[in-house]
Amino acid sequence: MQITQLFRTHWLTGILLGNVCCIAPAMAATIDNVQFRGFGTLSSAYSDSDILGFRRDLTQRGKMQQWQLGTDSVLGLQADMQLSERLKATVQLVGKDRVDNGLGESVEWAYLSYEPDNHWRIRLGRVGSDLTMIGDVGNVGYAYDWVRPPVEFYGAIPFYHFDGVEVNYRSQVADGYLSTKVFFGKSDSHFVYSTSDSDFDLSPFWGAAVHFEKGGLTFKAAYLYTKLSHVGNARMGQLRDALSLYAAYPAVAETIEALKIDNATQYYTSGISYRLAQWTWLAEASLLDSQEHLLPKTMAAYTGVVRRFDHLSAFGLLGHIRTLSANYQVNPLVPEPLFSYSQAAFNSVDIRQSTASLGVRWDVASNTALKLQWDHSWVTEGKAMLWTVNDGTSTPDEQVNTVTLSVSFVF
């Protein structure tokens, strides 16, 4: 989606953001307890495959052999109002390229934060999920050195917030700082697969996380328990309806049962970074543990290194993702074309790919960074879930080069 299309789709959000930008300086001058700030990225990306369309995550549609202006471009505005010494309200609006574009999706944060003392913090409302090393700043390109969070790790789990409550406790441990938190609520998303789109809720959405910092060392680990509910997929509904006409046949009944999504899903993640002088090393790994045939067990990991040269940084990343369970094989006794449609649905959620990335970041000002990144991806045959492919296309082994130039800023 081009920039003009992106912000035309976000017309209401754009009006709100524009109004806030105009009134923020005046309000800041007269209302001491309100703070406005923002962030943004302008980006252009090109990938050289005529089979796979590059995208940042599963909420987007990628394009093949075209410059894409919307993939990593984003504009965000945040308002913080200090209601009392211990109580604060925060709202964050984010405009970016995603298939499901509405004001509800653009409100990334909207919560009340209460800190009864220096150890406890309670947040209630729409809260940043903050389960990974990048945490709740995934939309803020200026906050990290590379153009985008590694697609292998973050592209398959684009959940930036949940609606609920979070309780965080911070203490000093072993000359460092330890934060532990628990959270409970629900979330939702809209994913684009090779054969169809899916809307779904994640409810319940609960778990816990720990975060430890000491000097140049940072460690983070989290656990999430959830269930997919209220899944909306037009093609899947049509397929189930067609299969139900033959439900008396055992082979068809088995397939209908395999297409159900009603089991619990657990997500485990941990990461570490270490900074020494001008060098930073980081790594992160996750496991999506699911018994669903349409949400197979998946592991993802990446590692990287950054070298700082005054206002210039050079970095390298290596990421990998793969499903750990074999695709469900539809019984060949299921009549055609239902057999082919059913098997295509199970095949569409398979992933296996690796990406090596090299890039540079130049801090041209105290609040602005210019970035250039090259990615080389190896995608295994038939396992291109993270890419956009032509409907019904069975993808061969493919290697893709993606080049991205971006400028990220905060204000």
Side-chain angles (χ1 to χ4, degrees):
M1 182 181 292
Q2 302 300 312
I3 289 293
T4 54
Q5 295 173 310
L6 170 64
F7 289 102
R8 189 179 298 120
T9 307
H10 278 281
W11 65 274
L12 182 55
T13 303
I15 291 173
L16 292 173
L17 293 176
N19 288 339
V20 172
C21 285
C22 293
I23 66 175
M27 292 186 68
T30 58
I31 306 178
D32 294 335
N33 63 339
V34 179
Q35 180 183 17
F36 291 92
R37 47 187 167 176
F39 56 88
T41 295
L42 297 176
S43 172
S44 182
Y46 178 86
S47 59
D48 62 3
S49 174
D50 60 356
I51 298 173
L52 305 178
F54 176 74
R55 54 183 177 171
R56 178 189 178 104
D57 59 45
L58 294 180
T59 67
Q60 299 178 336
R61 285 192 175 93
K63 296 179 181 178
M64 304 162 193
Q65 293 184 315
Q66 295 185 42
W67 284 101
Q68 301 182 64
L69 301 180
T71 303
D72 298 294
S73 296
V74 62
L75 177 62
L77 249 180
Q78 180 173 326
D80 297 288
M81 178 177 289
Q82 200 70 42
L83 302 176
S84 69
E85 182 181 0
R86 299 294 184 181
L87 184 64
K88 182 173 71 173
T90 297
V91 176
Q92 184 187 93
L93 295 175
V94 176
K96 62 179 181 179
D97 178 18
R98 54 195 151 199
V99 172
D100 193 1
N101 272 322
L103 183 60
E105 290 71 32
S106 299
V107 179
E108 290 284 357
W109 299 351
Y111 62 83
L112 291 173
S113 177
Y114 178 62
E115 299 184 11
D117 54 39
N118 293 330
H119 296 287
W120 291 94
R121 183 185 68 181
I122 302 170
R123 297 196 293 179
L124 176 65
R126 175 159 292 185
V127 181
S129 58
D130 193 22
L131 300 178
T132 60
M133 292 294 288
I134 289 179
D136 54 11
V137 296
N139 289 313
V140 187
Y142 185 82
Y144 38 84
D145 289 293
W146 39 87
V147 168
R148 68 187 69 84
V151 173
E152 279 75 14
F153 191 87
Y154 288 92
I157 52 164
F159 299 107
Y160 294 100
H161 58 249
F162 70 95
D163 299 328
V165 61
E166 173 195 274
V167 179
N168 188 297
Y169 181 77
R170 179 178 170 89
S171 59
Q172 192 167 2
V173 177
D175 297 326
Y177 291 95
L178 176 68
S179 294
T180 59
K181 72 174 182 179
V182 294
F183 55 90
F184 180 86
K186 65 177 183 177
S187 187
D188 59 73
S189 193
H190 184 125
F191 280 10
V192 182
Y193 299 97
S194 61
T195 57
S196 61
D197 294 7
S198 288
D199 290 292
F200 53 86
D201 293 337
L202 297 173
S203 181
F205 186 97
W206 64 264
V210 296
H211 184 123
F212 178 73
E213 293 186 28
K214 180 181 179 180
L217 175 68
T218 300
F219 172 79
K220 195 167 191 175
Y223 167 79
L224 168 67
Y225 175 96
T226 189
K227 282 188 176 182
L228 272 70
S229 60
H230 302 98
V231 179
N233 185 304
R235 290 194 180 184
M236 197 65 65
Q238 293 170 359
L239 176 59
R240 290 194 184 98
D241 290 342
L243 287 168
S244 67
L245 299 176
Y246 302 86
Y249 294 90
V252 175
E254 293 172 7
T255 304
I256 294 175
E257 187 66 26
L259 287 169
K260 290 182 179 179
I261 300 178
D262 53 11
N263 293 312
T265 296
Q266 300 178 87
Y267 180 69
Y268 307 84
T269 181
S270 63
I272 188 171
S273 71
Y274 183 68
R275 185 180 67 255
L276 180 63
Q278 303 302 315
W279 291 89
T280 300
W281 172 82
L282 65 159
E284 202 164 4
S286 69
L287 174 66
L288 180 70
D289 188 9
S290 171
Q291 303 303 315
E292 307 283 4
H293 294 294
L294 290 176
L295 187 66
K297 182 180 292 188
T298 304
M299 65 81 61
Y302 74 91
T303 187
V305 63
V306 181
R307 176 63 163 90
R308 187 79 177 176
F309 303 91
D310 196 16
H311 297 293
L312 190 71
S313 298
F315 61 85
L317 294 167
L318 181 62
H320 180 72
I321 185 171
R322 65 185 300 170
T323 49
L324 300 178
S325 50
N327 289 354
Y328 180 84
Q329 297 301 308
V330 179
N331 193 314
L333 295 179
V334 174
E336 288 287 5
L338 297 178
F339 172 84
S340 297
Y341 291 153
S342 299
Q343 193 61 63
F346 292 114
N347 292 344
S348 68
V349 297
D350 205 0
I351 316 173
R352 183 177 299 178
Q353 74 174 59
S354 301
T355 296
S357 305
L358 294 174
V360 292
R361 167 182 172 145
W362 177 28
D363 287 276
V364 297
S366 60
N367 66 338
T368 306
L370 182 66
K371 305 177 187 179
L372 176 64
Q373 182 170 320
W374 167 75
D375 304 308
H376 185 82
S377 301
W378 295 265
V379 187
T380 302
E381 178 182 357
K383 301 178 185 293
M385 177 182 154
L386 292 180
W387 303 74
T388 292
V389 300
N390 291 327
D391 191 7
T393 299
S394 178
T395 59
D397 282 340
E398 183 78 348
Q399 296 189 35
V400 188
N401 293 290
T402 305
V403 177
T404 311
L405 178 65
S406 73
V407 55
S408 296
F409 51 90
V410 294
F411 56 92

